[in-house]
C-alpha cells in the first residue's frame, strides 16, 4: 500500500505534499522556531499583513525546489535532497530575519550550517542524508547548489511571490512556472530564450519591491532602530550572538521590554507605540557621478558623523542615524541565457534588464533620521558638512528628482 502523504495548505500554492521524513524535520524544535520568525522582520509596522514567517517561506521554497528538480529530470534521491535543503535553507535565521543579521558577525548561512551539522537536527538528517551535501546546496555550491541559492533560484522566486501576497504590493507577482519550465542545469542554471520574458518580469518585480517594501524609507528607520538596540544588548553580554539561532521574535521583544539597559527598553517602547524616528535629510544616490562610491564609506565614518551631528544639534548620539540603502545587486542579471547553443548574460540579451542595471541607483539613498521632536532643528542641515560625499553630477537632469534636489 502506498505511503499516505500529508499536505500543508499554503496561501500561495495551495496544497504542498510532505513525506514522512519531511514531517519529522518540520517537527524538530529548530524548525518549529521558524513559525515565530517573521519573514519580513518589522515590516508589519508598515504593511500590517506582512506577518508571514520563515516557516511558510521554507515550505514554499521546498515546493518550488521540488518543481524545479522534477523539471530538470533529477533522480528521486536528488529531488529528495533538494526538497530537504530547500526546507532547511533558512533554519539559522535569527529573530526578525535579515534585520538581526545586520548586527551579527556571521551570516545566517553559517548559522544554518551550525544547526544542520552540530545540533540534534544532524542526528535526524543523517538517517537519510549527508549533512555536508545539504550545507553545500544551501550555500549554492556543487552541481545542485544553484537551484536553492543561485542567480535565479527558488528561494528568490518564493519570497517575491510570498512577500507580494502578504504585503498587498502587486509588484512581486511573477510567472514562476514559466521560469521553471525553461531552466536547464549544466554549469549552473541556464535559462532558455523562451523564458527570458518571465525572467524580465521577475527582475522588474524585484526592482519595484525594493523601494515599496524591502527598502521603503520607514522600513529602514525601524530596522535601524532595532539593530542599534540589538547591538547594545549584544555588546553588554545580555545576549550571546553565538546563541542567536535559538531565539525567536518574541524572545527578543521580551528581553528588550524588560531590559536593564534603558536604551533598548526605550527603542522597544518606540517600536511598540510606533513613535518612530523621522527623516530629516535624504539624497538619492543617482545624484552622484559615481553612486558606487557611497558603499565605500566605512561604518566608523558614519558613526563619527552621527556623533558630530548629535553634538552640534544637542541630541543624544544614540538617536541620530545615518543610513545608506542596501547595495542594489540584482545578481539575476548575470543569469546565463541559451541562444542557439551559445550562452549570454541576461543583461546582454534583454534591453529591459540592461536598463534596470543602469537604473538601479535611481532608488537607493542616504538618509538621516532623528526623533520627531528634534526635526525642526534641521531646516538648514547639510550632510556634506559631516561626511565626505561623492561628487554631485550637476550635468544630469533628473526631471523626477529635480524638485527633491532643490528641497535639500
Amino acid at each position: 500500500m502506498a505511503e499516505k502523504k500529508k499536505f500543508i495548505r499554503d496561501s500561495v500554492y495551495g496544497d504542498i505534499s510532505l513525506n514522512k521524513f519531511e514531517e519529522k524535520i518540520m517537527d524538530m524544535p529548530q524548525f518549529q522556531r521558524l513559525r515565530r520568525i517573521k519573514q519580513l522582520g518589522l515590516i508589519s509596522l508598515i504593511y500590517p499583513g506582512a506577518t508571514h514567517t520563515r516557516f511558510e517561506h521554507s515550505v514554499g521554497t521546498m515546493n518550488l525546489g521540488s518543481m524545479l528538480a522534477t523539471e530538470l529530470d533529477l533522480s528521486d534521491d536528488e529531488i529528495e535532497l533538494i526538497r530537504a535543503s530547500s526546507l532547511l535553507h533558512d533554519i539559522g535565521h535569527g529573530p526578525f530575519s535579515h534585520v538581526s543579521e545586520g548586527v551579527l558577525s556571521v551570516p545566517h548561512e553559517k548559522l544554518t550550517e551550525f544547526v544542520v551539522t552540530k545540533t540534534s537536527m544532524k542526528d535526524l538528517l543523517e538517517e537519510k542524508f549527508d549533512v555536508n551535501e545539504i550545507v553545500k546546496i544551501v550555500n549554492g555550491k556543487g552541481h545542485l547548489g544553484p537551484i536553492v541559492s543561485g542567480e535565479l533560484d527558488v528561494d528568490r522566486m518564493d519570497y517575491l511571490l510570498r512577500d507580494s501576497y502578504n504585503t498587498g504590493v502587486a509588484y512581486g507577482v511573477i510567472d514562476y512556472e514559466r521560469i521553471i519550465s525553461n531552466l536547464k542545469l549544466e554549469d549552473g542554471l541556464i535559462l532558455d530564450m523562451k523564458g527570458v520574458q518571465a525572467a524580465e518580469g521577475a527582475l522588474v518585480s524585484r526592482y519595484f519591491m525594493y523601494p515599496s517594501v524591502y527598502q521603503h524609507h520607514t522600513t529602514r528607520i525601524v530596522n535601524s532602530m532595532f539593530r542599534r538596540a540589538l547591538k547594545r544588548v549584544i555588546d553588554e553580554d545580555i545576549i550571546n550572538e553565538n546563541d542567536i539561532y535559538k531565539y525567536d521574535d518574541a524572545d527578543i521583544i521580551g528581553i528588550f521590554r524588560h531590559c536593564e539597559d534603558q536604551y533598548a527598553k526605550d527603542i522597544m517602547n518606540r517600536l511598540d507605540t510606533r513613535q518612530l524616528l523621522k527623516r530629516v535629510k535624504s539624497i538619492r544616490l543617482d545624484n552622484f557621478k559615481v553612486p558606487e562610491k557611497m558603499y565605500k564609506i566605512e561604518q566608523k565614518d558614519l558613526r563619527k558623523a552621527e556623533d558630530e551631528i548629535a553634538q552640534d544639534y544637542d541630541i543624544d548620539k544614540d538617536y541620530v542615524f545615518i543610513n545608506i540603502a542596501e547595495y542594489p545587486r540584482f545578481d539575476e542579471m548575470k543569469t546565463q541565457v541559451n541562444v542557439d547553443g551559445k550562452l549570454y548574460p541576461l543583461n546582454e540579451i534583454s534591453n529591459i534588464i540592461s536598463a534596470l542595471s543602469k537604473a538601479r541607483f535611481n532608488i537607493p539613498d542616504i538618509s538621516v533620521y532623528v526623533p520627531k521632536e528634534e526635526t525642526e532643528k534641521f531646516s538648514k542641515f547639510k550632510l556634506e558638512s559631516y561626511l565626505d560625499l561623492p561628487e554631485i553630477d550637476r550635468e544630469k537632469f533628473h526631471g523626477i528628482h529635480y524638485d527633491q534636489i532643490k528641497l535639500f
Side-chain angles (χ1 to χ4, degrees):
M1 188 173 179
E3 176 186 308
K4 186 177 180 181
K5 288 190 174 182
K6 183 174 182 178
F7 291 86
I8 287 182
R9 186 69 176 177
D10 182 69
S11 59
V12 176
Y13 310 110
D15 285 341
I16 296 176
S17 65
L18 300 171
N19 63 38
K20 290 293 185 183
F21 196 77
E22 289 159 357
E23 285 185 56
K24 290 182 180 180
I25 293 174
M26 292 176 66
D27 284 342
M28 292 290 285
Q30 295 93 331
F31 196 89
Q32 288 295 311
R33 183 185 70 98
L34 298 183
R35 290 184 183 273
R36 305 184 297 278
I37 305 289
K38 285 183 182 176
Q39 168 80 3
L40 291 180
L42 296 153
I43 288 180
S44 59
L45 287 171
I46 297 96
Y47 293 100
T51 56
H52 56 301
T53 66
R54 286 281 153 183
F55 183 97
E56 297 162 63
H57 167 59
S58 297
V59 175
T61 301
M62 179 194 72
N63 181 58
L64 292 185
S66 184
M67 289 176 61
L68 179 52
T70 302
E71 182 69 32
L72 296 171
D73 200 26
L74 300 184
S75 69
D76 290 345
D77 288 344
E78 288 175 320
I79 292 173
E80 288 202 4
L81 178 59
I82 288 294
R83 285 175 64 91
S85 301
S86 301
L87 197 59
L88 294 162
H89 80 285
D90 273 349
I91 202 165
H93 256 301
F96 296 102
S97 297
H98 289 289
V99 187
S100 62
E101 190 172 13
V103 174
L104 306 177
S105 58
V106 293
H108 75 273
E109 290 88 354
K110 281 291 182 185
L111 294 172
T112 291
E113 179 178 347
F114 182 86
V115 174
V116 168
T117 63
K118 302 294 183 184
T119 71
S120 57
M121 180 64 79
K122 176 187 177 183
D123 299 331
L124 172 64
L125 294 174
E126 285 189 331
E127 294 178 15
K128 195 164 189 176
F129 303 109
D130 178 348
V131 292
N132 294 313
E133 285 298 312
I134 291 176
V135 169
K136 281 173 61 179
I137 292 171
V138 167
N139 286 288
K141 297 178 180 178
H143 181 58
L144 301 177
I147 295 173
V148 177
S149 183
E151 291 157 353
L152 199 60
D153 58 41
V154 293
D155 175 22
R156 281 184 173 91
M157 287 187 231
D158 182 82
Y159 77 61
L160 276 174
L161 288 161
R162 194 167 301 280
D163 295 347
S164 172
Y165 177 86
N166 285 280
T167 58
V169 176
Y171 296 128
V173 179
I174 64 173
D175 190 354
Y176 67 93
E177 291 174 317
R178 181 73 171 177
I179 295 172
I180 285 174
S181 65
N182 283 284
L183 286 172
K184 301 295 180 187
L185 186 62
E186 296 174 11
D187 184 15
L189 285 174
I190 308 298
L191 183 67
D192 189 82
M193 197 57 192
K194 291 183 292 184
V196 167
Q197 189 173 14
E200 287 174 337
L203 269 168
V204 170
S205 295
R206 191 158 172 251
Y207 176 82
F208 284 118
M209 284 290 281
Y210 265 78
S212 301
V213 179
Y214 306 131
Q215 292 292 294
H216 186 281
H217 71 92
T218 310
T219 297
R220 287 165 54 206
I221 292 169
V222 297
N223 288 354
S224 296
M225 292 170 66
F226 177 86
R227 284 169 176 160
R228 188 163 294 186
L230 181 60
K231 188 174 189 308
R232 176 73 70 89
V233 298
I234 289 174
D235 289 346
E236 294 187 358
D237 293 326
I238 296 170
I239 291 175
N240 184 339
E241 73 165 329
N242 294 323
D243 294 331
I244 201 73
Y245 69 92
K246 299 177 182 177
Y247 292 95
D248 59 32
D249 294 358
D251 293 329
I252 299 300
I253 289 172
I255 289 169
F256 280 12
R257 283 178 180 161
H258 303 99
C259 193
E260 292 182 4
D261 182 272
Q262 292 303 307
Y263 179 72
K265 183 182 286 188
D266 180 62
I267 289 294
M268 194 67 246
N269 180 64
R270 286 173 177 268
L271 293 173
D272 280 340
T273 58
R274 214 176 183 281
Q275 301 300 308
L276 308 180
L277 274 68
K278 299 297 180 182
R279 183 171 56 177
V280 293
K281 180 71 175 182
S282 181
I283 306 174
R284 289 185 180 271
L285 301 194
D286 67 343
N287 290 329
F288 302 111
K289 282 189 174 181
V290 185
E292 292 91 336
K293 284 187 177 180
M294 286 300 299
Y295 294 97
K296 294 183 179 179
I297 298 177
E298 296 185 11
Q299 287 296 311
K300 64 180 179 62
D301 295 322
L302 294 177
R303 301 294 83 80
K304 181 173 180 289
E306 289 172 349
D307 290 351
E308 291 174 353
I309 292 169
Q311 185 174 356
D312 288 351
Y313 288 84
D314 192 26
I315 303 173
D316 186 331
K317 66 180 182 179
D318 288 328
Y319 290 88
V320 177
F321 293 76
I322 300 176
N323 178 269
I324 302 174
E326 287 182 10
Y327 187 89
R329 294 190 183 282
F330 297 102
D331 291 337
E332 299 95 321
M333 295 177 182
K334 303 172 188 174
T335 298
Q336 296 294 300
V337 181
N338 186 338
V339 182
D340 297 328
K342 293 184 179 180
L343 300 181
Y344 301 90
L346 181 58
N347 60 347
E348 291 184 13
I349 297 298
S350 166
N351 289 332
I352 293 175
I353 303 306
S354 179
L356 279 184
S357 182
K358 296 174 183 177
R360 56 184 165 163
F361 288 107
N362 291 353
I363 295 171
D365 62 41
I366 179 170
S367 293
V368 180
Y369 313 120
V370 299
K372 182 179 180 180
E373 60 271 20
E374 306 286 358
T375 56
E376 292 183 1
K377 298 178 180 179
F378 288 81
S379 59
K380 297 181 180 179
F381 175 75
K382 292 184 177 180
L383 182 57
E384 58 268 28
S385 300
Y386 298 91
L387 270 179
D388 185 15
L389 299 175
E391 183 181 359
I392 293 287
D393 190 346
R394 302 291 179 186
E395 296 179 3
K396 278 186 179 178
F397 182 82
H398 302 292
I400 194 169
H401 304 317
Y402 184 69
D403 287 337
Q404 293 175 328
I405 295 169
K406 288 195 299 183
L407 285 174
F408 300 120

